[in-house]
């Protein structure tokens, strides 16, 4: 009988333990479910906040509701300063064509002028024409071109410190008949390609651009010819208008990794240490056939050329200009223009390529096919962007 009682007690104790364990499991399960639900609610709330913030930061769409506009105003202080709003139509590019008093270059200048005359586009003006216009019509000019030449064979090859006037007195004598044409700038330096002409133009071009409220300075080789309509299409769609045009650098990319290695450790340290420290050994530059820099970056390049006296220059103007630009204390907004996006041809030296380009642009203007293809001649801001410009 005692054995039966003991067995009964053990069964009762085991039942109590089993019931207690079951309750523990139930409590644990309920706790897990509650924790999961709380995390789920937090995630949903976070997602809703993110969606709400995303809606407030959508800029430039015409169909925004009044509520979204109101929310956008509420969060305006945290919108990124690099975010570009809807393009207003403002485009002001100082287009410097670097050339020289050489027979070939004279023929290249003639080609540029023939194309400008063929296009007959009111948005294209020579620099003296732009300067002479009244303010009411000045900014109809969006591409302001000038031919940049050296005009003082007795002077140093570079001028970046304002120690003498940037231009020489006219007229000057030389081989070319068009040296003293109004659309030329005659720099107060001796002629060169790799010893300082480009940084001199960046310095002087930036001063002109700042004086007349221009947004970009371009360096174009004499044998690089524009497809004007393609340029305007690319510029309207890609070049940030003022005041968002800061530290912009656009052109065709090149890789210095394909250059021969430096012969000495001293050379390697001089030419590569900055890129090794700041860009982890990546050493790129923008090709000299055509590049566009914002006015503030052109000004910095001129200052850098004077401050560092081209201590890391390697004698190739496109590389050296890039190296100066990449020494900027502010991040560079590098805009890489691949072959599919080029709005110029380079090099256009011989007659066959020039003749083909002339025929194509003539067909474009006439609205007829060229080699079985139609080339669009409509490149106004409204044609490209789908809405009228609000600012010039």
């Amino acid at each position: 009988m005692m054995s039966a009682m003991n067995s009964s007690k053990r069964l009762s104790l085991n039942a109590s333990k089993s019931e207690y364990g079951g309750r523990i499991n139930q409590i644990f399960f309920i706790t897990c479910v509650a924790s999961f639900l709380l995390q789920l609610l937090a995630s949903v709330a976070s997602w809703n906040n993110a969606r709400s913030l995303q809606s407030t930061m959508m800029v430039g769409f015409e169909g925004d509701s009044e509520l979204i506009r109101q929310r956008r105003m509420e969060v305006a202080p945290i919108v990124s300063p690099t975010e570009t709003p809807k393009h207003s139509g403002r485009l002001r590019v100082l287009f410097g064509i670097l050339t020289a008093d050489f027979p070939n270059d004279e023929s290249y200048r003639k080609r540029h002028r023939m194309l400008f005359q063929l296009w007959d586009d009111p948005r294209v003006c020579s620099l003296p024409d732009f300067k002479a216009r009244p303010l009411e019509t000045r900014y109809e000019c969006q591409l302001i071109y000038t031919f940049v030449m050296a005009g003082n064979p007795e002077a140093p090859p570079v001028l970046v410190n304002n120690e003498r006037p940037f231009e020489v007195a006219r007229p000057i004598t030389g081989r070319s008949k068009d040296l003293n044409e109004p659309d030329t700038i005659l720099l107060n330096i001796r002629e060169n390609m790799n010893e300082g002409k480009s940084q001199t133009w960046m310095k002087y071009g930036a001063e002109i651009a700042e004086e007349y409220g221009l947004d970009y300075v371009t360096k174009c080789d004499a044998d690089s010819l524009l497809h004007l309509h393609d340029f305007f299409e690319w510029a309207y769609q890609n070049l940030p208008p003022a005041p968002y045009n800061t530290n912009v650098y656009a052109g065709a990319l090149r890789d210095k990794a394909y250059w021969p290695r430096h012969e000495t450790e001293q050379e390697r340290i001089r030419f590569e240490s900055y890129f090794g420290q700041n860009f982890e050994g990546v050493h790129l530059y923008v090709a000299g056939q055509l590049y566009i820099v914002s006015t503030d970056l052109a000004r910095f390049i001129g200052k850098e050329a004077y401050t560092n006296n081209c201590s890391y220059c390697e004698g190739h103007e496109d590389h050296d200009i890039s190296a100066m630009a990449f020494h900027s204390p502010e991040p560079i907004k590098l805009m890489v223009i691949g072959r599919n996006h080029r709005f110029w041809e380079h090099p256009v030296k011989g007659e066959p390529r020039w003749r083909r380009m002339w025929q194509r642009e003539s067909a474009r203007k006439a609205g007829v096919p060229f080699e079985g293809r139609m080339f669009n001649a409509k490149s106004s801001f409204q044609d490209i962007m789908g809405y009228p410009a609000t600012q010039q």
Side-chain angles (χ1 to χ4, degrees):
M1 185 163 181
M2 288 293 296
S3 175
M5 291 178 61
N6 289 337
S7 296
S8 177
K9 287 181 180 180
R10 280 197 299 270
L11 288 173
S12 176
L13 181 61
N14 288 337
S16 298
K17 288 181 178 180
S18 176
E19 183 180 358
Y20 178 76
R23 289 178 180 173
I24 291 295
N25 289 337
Q26 288 178 354
I27 294 171
F28 178 74
F29 174 76
I30 292 171
T31 302
C32 290
V33 170
S35 176
F36 171 76
L37 290 174
L38 288 173
Q39 291 180 10
L40 182 61
L41 289 172
S43 298
V44 170
S46 176
W47 183 81
N48 284 334
N49 288 338
R51 291 285 293 176
S52 175
L53 181 59
Q54 183 181 16
S55 297
T56 64
M57 296 182 70
M58 292 172 62
V59 177
F61 293 93
E62 296 295 337
D64 290 350
S65 68
E66 189 60 33
L67 177 60
I68 290 179
R69 289 192 183 96
Q70 183 178 352
R71 291 297 303 276
R72 185 188 299 144
M73 294 300 293
E74 291 173 0
V75 301
I78 65 170
V79 172
S80 168
T82 61
E83 188 172 351
T84 305
K86 185 175 178 178
H87 202 302
S88 64
R90 171 180 169 136
L91 180 66
R92 303 176 185 177
V93 178
L94 178 58
F95 197 83
I97 304 166
L98 269 63
T99 180
D101 182 18
F102 302 145
N104 284 345
D105 279 39
E106 185 176 10
S107 69
Y108 299 156
R109 292 192 294 276
K110 182 179 179 181
R111 292 172 179 176
H112 283 282
R113 292 184 178 112
M114 287 175 64
L115 286 171
F116 289 140
Q117 186 174 8
L118 170 69
W119 291 320
D120 190 26
D121 194 310
R123 295 170 295 180
V124 178
C125 309
S126 68
L127 182 57
D129 176 29
F130 170 79
K131 290 179 176 180
R133 288 188 176 215
L135 286 175
E136 294 76 22
T137 63
R138 177 175 289 172
Y139 294 109
E140 293 175 0
C141 302
Q142 298 185 351
L143 187 144
I144 300 100
Y145 75 88
T146 183
F147 296 98
V148 182
M149 310 168 71
N152 186 352
E154 306 301 322
V158 61
L159 175 59
V160 289
N161 60 357
N162 297 91
E163 66 183 8
R164 58 187 188 276
F166 275 102
E167 295 191 56
V168 298
R170 297 168 185 259
I172 66 170
T173 58
R175 304 181 189 90
S176 305
K177 297 177 182 179
D178 65 340
L179 280 181
N180 296 290
E181 287 293 317
D183 60 359
T184 61
I185 283 177
L186 301 174
L187 294 174
N188 196 1
I189 59 174
R190 71 168 181 264
E191 192 58 76
N192 71 93
M193 183 171 70
N194 294 315
E195 299 175 71
K197 183 177 180 179
S198 294
Q199 47 264 47
T200 301
W201 167 237
M202 287 289 109
K203 168 74 172 175
Y204 188 38
E207 292 194 3
I208 296 172
E210 288 174 339
E211 180 178 356
Y212 290 96
L214 307 181
D215 302 332
Y216 292 92
V217 179
T218 298
K219 180 265 179 180
C220 175
D221 278 351
D223 58 350
S224 293
L225 294 179
L226 273 180
H227 299 163
L228 185 71
H229 299 81
D230 296 338
F231 164 75
F232 280 121
E233 181 177 358
W234 176 86
Y236 291 144
Q237 292 179 340
N238 296 284
L239 273 186
Y244 303 94
N245 57 322
T246 57
N247 269 38
V248 177
Y249 195 1
L253 204 58
R254 296 292 182 265
D255 188 352
K256 190 174 178 284
Y258 295 98
W259 288 24
R261 291 185 177 275
H262 295 294
E263 295 182 357
T264 67
E265 179 66 9
Q266 185 177 6
E267 286 183 345
R268 189 194 66 77
I269 293 172
R270 175 184 173 186
F271 298 125
E272 303 296 340
S273 60
Y274 178 80
F275 288 88
Q277 294 168 6
N278 289 275
F279 302 106
E280 299 175 289
V282 176
H283 195 148
L284 304 176
Y285 63 99
V286 176
Q289 52 193 253
L290 191 151
Y291 50 80
I292 302 175
V293 301
S294 53
T295 297
D296 66 318
L297 186 57
R299 181 177 65 249
F300 174 80
I301 290 170
K303 180 181 178 182
E304 176 70 11
Y306 175 69
T307 303
N308 276 313
N309 195 28
C310 218
S311 60
Y312 43 77
C313 291
E314 300 200 48
H316 299 273
E317 70 86 17
D318 47 4
H319 165 273
D320 295 343
I321 291 294
S322 295
M324 294 176 204
F326 292 149
H327 273 72
S328 169
E330 301 297 328
I332 297 296
K333 300 165 188 171
L334 185 59
M335 193 175 298
V336 180
I337 304 176
R339 287 186 180 274
N340 293 337
H341 309 108
R342 301 266 170 93
F343 47 82
W344 70 92
E345 284 196 34
H346 174 88
V348 185
K349 296 183 182 292
E351 280 297 315
R353 189 169 186 180
W354 158 244
R355 202 159 41 241
R356 182 175 181 273
M357 182 171 181
W358 175 259
Q359 291 169 354
R360 183 183 61 232
E361 292 305 300
S362 298
R364 187 201 298 264
K365 283 290 294 182
V368 298
F370 173 75
E371 296 180 350
R373 178 183 170 189
M374 290 295 296
F375 288 85
N376 186 23
K378 294 183 178 180
S379 63
S380 71
F381 183 83
Q382 184 158 354
D383 288 330
I384 301 303
M385 304 301 288
Y387 57 89
T390 57
Q391 180 187 9
Q392 286 186 333

